[in-house]
Amino acid sequence: MDKSEFIQIRKFIVKLGKMLHKYGTPTFRLEAYLLEVAQYLGVRASFIATPTSLTVVIWSDKHEDEYNTAARLMPGELDLHALSLTDELASSLLEGKLTLAEADKRLDEIDVLPSPYNNFITGPAFGLATGAFAMMMGASWSEILWSAALGVLAFVWTLWAQRSKRVSLMLEPATAFIAGILASAIGGCLDPGINIPLIVLSSVIVFVPGLALTIGLAELSNRNMVSGTARTMDAVMQLFKLYFGAFLGITAGFTLFGENVYKPAQSLPYWATWLAVFLLTMSLVAMFRTRLKHIPWAIAAAFIAYGATTWGAMYMDNGLGAFVGAFALGVFANLYTRIANQPSAIVAMHGLIVLVPGSKSYIGLNSFISGQDFVRADNIGQEVFFIFMSLVAGLIFANVVMPTKKAL
C-alpha cells in the first residue's frame, strides 16, 4: 500500500466515523462498524468513541504508515434518513460498486442534505408526540389538547436553540419552566381541575432522556465503560434539569394564578392507548427523519414492542413484560436487517421509545422530592430500574436468538 492510498483510506474512515457519530449511532455499534470498513479497505485500526469524542488509530499491515487523531464532537442526534443513506453508501463500497473516491464524494453530499421533513411537518409532529404521550398516560381530552399545544411551543424553543448558543445551553429547563407557568395559567384561568404536572411532563416528553438512558446501559452491558457512564450521567443530568425547570415553573405559576385543585376526568377507552401508539410512532417518523420506505417497518416495530409488552405483563410482572417486548423488538429489528439490508436502529428506535421508562424516571424523581404522585405509581423507583434492566437483557437475548447482520 503506497502512502497516497493510505492517506485516502484514513481520510474516508475518519469522515465516516464523524458522520455516523453525528447521526446518533451508539458507540459500541459505531466502533464495530468502522472496524469492518477498515478491514475491508486493508488497514488495521482501533477506535474509541464516546458521546462527545472520537479517537482513531489507523496503521498499515506492516506499520509502514500510521495515523492517529482525536476529535471533540457534539453529542449526536438521531437522523435515520442520513444514517440509512450512509449505510447504503458503505455497503456499496464494500460490495465494490463504488470506488473510494466516489464514496468520499457521496459522503459530503449526504452530510449537507436537508431533512426530508420541513418545520411545517416537524412542528406538528412535536404536538402529536406530546398529545399521544398524554393519551397513553390516561389523560382527559382537554389535557391531551393542552399537552399538544405546549408540545408545539417546545418545538419553537428547539428552533430558537438551533440559532442561539445561550438558548441551547438552557433549552431543557427553560422549556419546562415556561410549560409549567403556562399550564398553571391554563388551570387557573381557562380549564380548572386539569392535571398540571402531567401536562407539563407530556409537553416536554421529547426531551426526557429515556432512550439515552437505555442506550447508556446497553453500552455498559457491552463493556463500553467510558461511553456508557458518560451517556448515562448526561441523561441523569438532563432529567434533573427538566424536573427543576418544571418544578420552578409550576411553583411560579401557582403563585401567579392560584393553586390548581386536580379533578380527575373520565378515563379514555382502552382502544385509545393503541391509537396513541400509532400517533406517537407517526410523530417519531418526522422527529427521527425516517425515510418513507421505512415507515411501515417502524409502525410494525412499535406495535410489536407494545403488544408483546402488554401480553407479557398479563402473565408476568410489568418489568418482565418489558423484557418480552424488548426481546420481540430485537428479533424483529434483526430480521428487518436481514430482509432490507439496513441498520436495525432504523426500526428499533421507534419501538424502544414506546418501551423506555423515561417518563417513569421523571415521575419517580417527583415522588422522591415532593412526596406526591400526579399519576398512580407504586414502588416507581424499583419498577424503573427493573424495566431498564429488562430492556437491555431483552435486546441482548434477541441478538443471541436472531444475530444481527450489520454492526449498525
Side-chain angles (χ1 to χ4, degrees), residues 220-241:
L220 287 172
S221 71
N222 281 273
R223 299 191 174 182
N224 201 319
M225 302 302 180
V226 175
S227 177
T229 302
R231 195 183 300 274
T232 301
M233 290 308 301
D234 178 62
V236 170
M237 290 307 300
Q238 188 172 339
L239 189 65
F240 285 164
K241 289 189 291 184

Side-chain angles (χ1 to χ4, degrees), residues 198-215:
L198 177 58
I199 290 176
V200 175
L201 170 59
S202 300
S203 66
V204 298
I205 192 62
V206 293
F207 301 116
V208 174
L211 184 60
L213 279 169
T214 304
I215 293 175

Side-chain angles (χ1 to χ4, degrees), residues 119-188:
N119 291 337
F120 294 105
I121 297 176
T122 308
F126 266 66
L128 189 62
T130 54
F133 173 79
M135 187 181 294
M136 292 182 70
M137 295 293 290
S140 65
W141 286 114
S142 65
E143 292 166 347
I144 292 169
L145 292 175
W146 291 124
S147 298
L150 294 179
V152 175
L153 181 61
F155 173 70
V156 175
W157 274 94
T158 303
L159 291 180
W160 191 6
Q162 294 173 358
R163 292 162 174 79
S164 171
K165 185 175 182 179
R166 288 185 300 174
V167 175
S168 67
L169 292 174
M170 63 173 190
L171 175 62
E172 295 87 1
T175 304
F177 175 74
I178 296 299
I181 289 182
L182 292 179
S184 300
I186 293 168

Side-chain angles (χ1 to χ4, degrees), residues 384-407:
V384 168
F385 180 78
F386 195 51
I387 290 176
F388 274 125
M389 293 297 99
S390 295
L391 290 178
V392 174
L395 294 175
I396 292 174
F397 275 66
N399 285 330
V400 173
V401 174
M402 177 68 71
T404 183
K405 185 180 178 181
K406 288 178 174 288

Side-chain angles (χ1 to χ4, degrees), residues 265-306:
Q266 184 178 1
S267 300
L268 297 180
Y270 177 71
W271 57 263
T273 304
W274 293 92
L275 175 62
V277 172
F278 174 75
L279 295 177
L280 179 60
T281 307
M282 292 305 298
S283 68
L284 294 176
V285 165
M287 295 166 65
F288 288 170
R289 303 174 184 177
T290 309
R291 296 173 72 179
L292 292 178
K293 68 178 183 178
H294 297 146
I295 292 177
W297 293 94
I299 295 173
F303 276 102
I304 287 173
Y306 188 77

